[in-house]
Amino acid sequence: MFKIFIFTLLISFKANGFTILFEGMKGFKTESIKVHLDPTECYSGIQEDLKESIDFWNEAVHTNIVMVQGNNVTIPQTDIISQNFTEQVVVGCSANLDSLGNPGDADLLLAFANASDNDFNDKHLDRGYLMINNTPGAKADLSTRAKDSRIATIAHELGHVLGLGHSSVRGSLMYFASATTEARLHQDDIDGIRHLYPQDELGGDYLLGCGRVVPPSSGGPSSLVFVVLLLLLPLSINLRARSKKYFTS
Amino acid sequence: MKLLFLLSLFSFPIFSNAEVYLDNYGVGYGILSSGVLTEAVTENGESSIYGSFSLHFLDANISWAQDNLNLRYHIKAAYTLLPRKTEDGAADITKWRASFLLGYEPKKRNRKRFILTSGIGFFGIVSKGRGGTQVLNNGGGTTTFYRPSDTSHTKLLMLELGLTHQISREFSYSVEALVNGLFGDRRNLNIYMSLNYYWDRGYKRSLKKAREAEVNQNIDEFQAGEALVKKKRKKKKRKKRKKRRKKKSKKGEEGV
Ligand SMILES: [Zn+2]
């Protein structure tokens, strides 16, 4: 028995190689992050793709990240990439990506993104954008990719918007090569996003998710009641067992 | 405030004048699997529904028993002594756990007992950034990215349901389900498995009690047996007397 104990102590751990975009930078401070779409030059399925990519991060367990989709906007592309807007996050598409950056980008980049601490200089992000390559005929036109690959790409770029850099861990969503064609969160992605957006259910009004920033659907029982019932469960089993005894004897 | 209320509810039986005694205390080794049944990619890059494993939890637990209600009160604490880290790791991740559980023993206490537990627990994940930079591919070139240099602390509330099986006087193992965010979108199931070593006060006490009960029963049986024998003897004597009387009377008749 003791030998097994020692053996398990010697098993080593695997890598977690997430990085962040800027030194010492924390995530968005607001309770939720509003993402606005400028669909002007976008392919038709973008709304649905964006929603699914957002849910991706929203479902990351043990984190506090909540992104919501705001109303659509119309902002010049140059303003989007220089983060010259008042919204928190803007998602745009470009039908001529080369004109926005370096020549050849349209054949190289499926999308790009960035974020910044624009307003307060408090080492918390408050602005971010995501530009999708929708250049007709270009090698890296995102709209020509399969749905899984599109969502993996948008979710990866959203990761940047949230403050994550690339990861050295192969198979993670934030891995530097766009080898990820399957849209799934890797433990490394969760480790990274949890570092930037830690959940605190013990502080403030939080209790078992009651105090979550997204109000839970009404009508359900209060979790406090549930906890009390759970605590009383052994007691009730016990009392039943005892009462049975009385009946039989 | 709510937490205080819950804790006071939990501690009520301990401070009431019911007979509560220290049952068991011990240390152990635990493994946690987070995000069970949620399909995610594990640290090996493989898809898994078993969740991601955290090893090397040092476990400490203490329990009080209340025999008249057949209840048990457990406090469990655990901490990962060795943080998860690597050569290009961004952060050292340690986890801790503190649980307040009610235990119930479905069967009468014996050597190989099962204990059902339920209650609430606090669970923490400490991510300590290691600082520094890392140059990684980005688009056509490379970019310098940063490793976090601060510490972030995730604190979670868990609803817990578990089963402990005492396999010998000193050892037990338990499997516990820790549910977080039950009514939210991020509901997640975590499984905690541990092996524990006990300094078994409770077991000795229960053994002593059982022995006493056995002795009492034996005495009872012995007394009952004696009484029966006495009764039988009395019956025999009575019969003998009757026979003698009958004989005597017969003799008497003959004599007439
Ligand atoms: Zn990237």
Side-chain angles (χ1 to χ4, degrees):
Chain A
M1 191 80 85
F2 197 64
K3 271 178 193 166
I4 298 167
F5 187 80
I6 294 295
F7 176 70
T8 48
L9 275 177
L10 294 175
I11 296 172
S12 66
F13 292 111
K14 277 279 175 182
N16 65 308
F18 72 90
T19 60
I20 55 176
L21 276 183
F22 308 107
E23 194 169 11
M25 186 67 82
K26 297 254 192 190
F28 283 80
K29 235 182 358 188
T30 47
E31 288 182 333
S32 63
I33 303 162
K34 259 197 172 168
V35 181
H36 301 264
L37 175 69
D38 179 352
T40 313
E41 291 181 17
C42 285
Y43 59 94
S44 56
I46 181 67
Q47 200 86 35
E48 185 62 26
D49 285 0
L50 183 62
K51 190 186 173 299
E52 281 184 40
S53 310
I54 285 175
D55 285 346
F56 227 77
W57 289 107
N58 281 352
E59 281 162 16
V61 296
H62 302 171
T63 71
N64 196 27
I65 188 119
V66 180
M67 280 190 278
V68 292
Q69 228 174 317
N71 51 314
N72 286 357
V73 291
T74 310
I75 297 170
Q77 281 173 7
T78 46
D79 282 346
I80 292 179
I81 62 168
S82 57
Q83 298 179 66
N84 186 23
F85 48 78
T86 52
E87 287 80 3
Q88 282 187 300
V89 177
V90 173
V91 178
C93 303
S94 173
N96 184 7
L97 203 73
D98 286 348
S99 68
L100 284 178
N102 305 314
D105 275 359
D107 288 332
L108 191 71
L109 302 174
L110 290 165
F112 58 87
N114 210 344
S116 65
D117 172 15
N118 210 34
D119 289 347
F120 306 109
N121 272 322
D122 58 353
K123 284 278 175 189
H124 275 276
L125 295 175
D126 44 45
R127 203 62 50 87
Y129 77 92
L130 198 170
M131 187 57 72
I132 291 163
N133 183 0
N134 206 5
T135 314
K139 277 185 194 158
D141 178 3
L142 191 70
S143 64
T144 62
R145 302 299 155 113
K147 190 178 174 71
D148 240 17
S149 179
R150 292 201 307 268
I151 289 168
T153 304
I154 298 174
H156 171 103
E157 301 305 331
L158 281 175
H160 287 317
V161 169
L162 294 172
L164 284 178
H166 281 164
S167 170
S168 55
V169 177
R170 189 178 284 274
S172 69
L173 196 65
M174 298 313 290
Y175 187 59
F176 47 77
S178 59
T180 319
T181 49
E182 277 182 283
R184 281 185 305 195
L185 279 190
H186 189 282
Q187 183 58 42
D188 184 60
D189 300 313
I190 296 174
D191 284 342
I193 209 70
R194 192 186 50 225
H195 187 94
L196 291 173
Y197 300 87
Q199 192 167 4
D200 185 5
E201 291 185 325
L202 305 192
D205 255 347
Y206 282 77
L207 187 64
L208 303 168
C210 277
R212 284 276 311 284
V213 284
V214 172
S217 51
S218 57
S222 148
S223 31
L224 187 67
V225 173
F226 189 81
V227 170
V228 173
L229 286 178
L230 195 74
L231 277 171
L232 294 176
L233 179 73
L235 197 68
S236 62
I237 295 172
N238 181 53
L239 287 177
R240 259 190 83 175
R242 278 154 60 98
S243 62
K244 254 188 200 166
K245 235 188 258 168
Y246 289 135
F247 283 130
T248 46
S249 64
Chain B
M1 201 57 218
K2 283 178 192 169
L3 286 177
L4 273 179
F5 167 70
L6 283 177
L7 291 179
S8 64
L9 189 85
F10 179 83
S11 58
F12 166 72
I14 295 178
F15 298 113
S16 68
N17 51 9
E19 195 207 354
V20 176
Y21 61 90
L22 185 64
D23 177 47
N24 249 334
Y25 53 94
V27 292
Y29 174 80
I31 290 174
L32 176 86
S33 175
S34 323
V36 181
L37 302 178
T38 337
E39 205 184 309
V41 180
T42 65
E43 282 162 50
N44 305 319
E46 289 157 0
S47 166
S48 164
I49 55 161
Y50 303 113
S52 68
F53 285 90
S54 312
L55 310 175
H56 312 323
F57 275 97
L58 177 70
D59 228 68
N61 55 71
I62 184 163
S63 68
W64 291 266
Q66 188 172 3
D67 279 343
N68 58 339
L69 287 178
N70 219 12
L71 277 180
R72 208 163 292 280
Y73 310 98
H74 297 261
I75 295 178
K76 283 193 169 199
Y79 184 71
T80 44
L81 274 186
L82 303 171
R84 182 153 63 86
K85 60 183 161 191
T86 54
E87 68 259 37
D88 69 337
D92 296 341
I93 294 171
T94 44
K95 298 185 178 182
W96 58 267
R97 173 192 175 196
S99 304
F100 302 86
L101 307 166
L102 274 184
Y104 170 68
E105 220 171 315
K107 260 189 172 179
K108 224 181 176 183
R109 194 172 300 175
N110 57 32
R111 181 189 288 254
K112 293 181 177 176
R113 57 188 180 169
F114 281 96
I115 301 167
L116 214 79
T117 54
S118 73
I120 54 166
F122 309 125
F123 189 80
I125 306 167
V126 182
S127 174
K128 190 166 179 282
R130 300 174 104 200
T133 59
Q134 193 166 18
V135 179
L136 290 168
N137 288 13
N138 188 20
T142 57
T143 301
T144 301
F145 293 102
Y146 298 86
R147 293 194 189 115
S149 51
D150 56 342
T151 298
S152 95
H153 200 160
T154 295
K155 294 167 210 160
L156 305 164
L157 263 165
M158 299 279 185
L159 294 177
E160 304 188 2
L161 204 63
L163 189 69
T164 297
H165 182 200
Q166 186 114 23
I167 42 178
S168 72
R169 282 179 63 151
E170 287 95 3
F171 287 99
S172 83
Y173 65 88
S174 35
V175 180
E176 291 163 276
L178 282 59
V179 182
N180 168 245
L182 190 67
F183 299 108
D185 321 326
R186 282 195 173 90
R187 175 178 47 240
N188 58 91
L189 173 66
N190 310 275
I191 303 288
Y192 190 87
M193 287 165 285
S194 57
L195 182 68
N196 281 289
Y197 174 82
Y198 291 107
W199 290 271
D200 57 337
R201 277 180 63 128
Y203 177 73
K204 276 176 193 157
R205 188 186 157 120
S206 64
L207 203 72
K208 199 179 156 194
K209 269 197 164 178
R211 216 176 274 149
E212 277 172 13
E214 210 172 298
V215 168
N216 286 340
Q217 205 182 345
N218 284 348
I219 290 170
D220 285 351
E221 269 173 19
F222 177 72
Q223 283 173 344
E226 250 191 352
L228 209 74
V229 169
K230 271 182 188 171
K231 249 189 186 175
K232 273 183 184 172
R233 271 186 202 152
K234 266 186 184 175
K235 255 191 182 175
K236 265 188 185 175
K237 271 185 184 174
R238 241 182 260 156
K239 268 186 185 175
K240 268 185 184 175
R241 254 184 239 153
K242 265 189 183 175
K243 267 186 183 176
R244 251 185 249 156
R245 254 184 239 155
K246 269 188 183 173
K247 270 185 183 175
K248 264 188 181 175
S249 61
K250 271 184 185 175
K251 273 180 185 172
E253 274 172 24
E254 276 172 4
V256 170

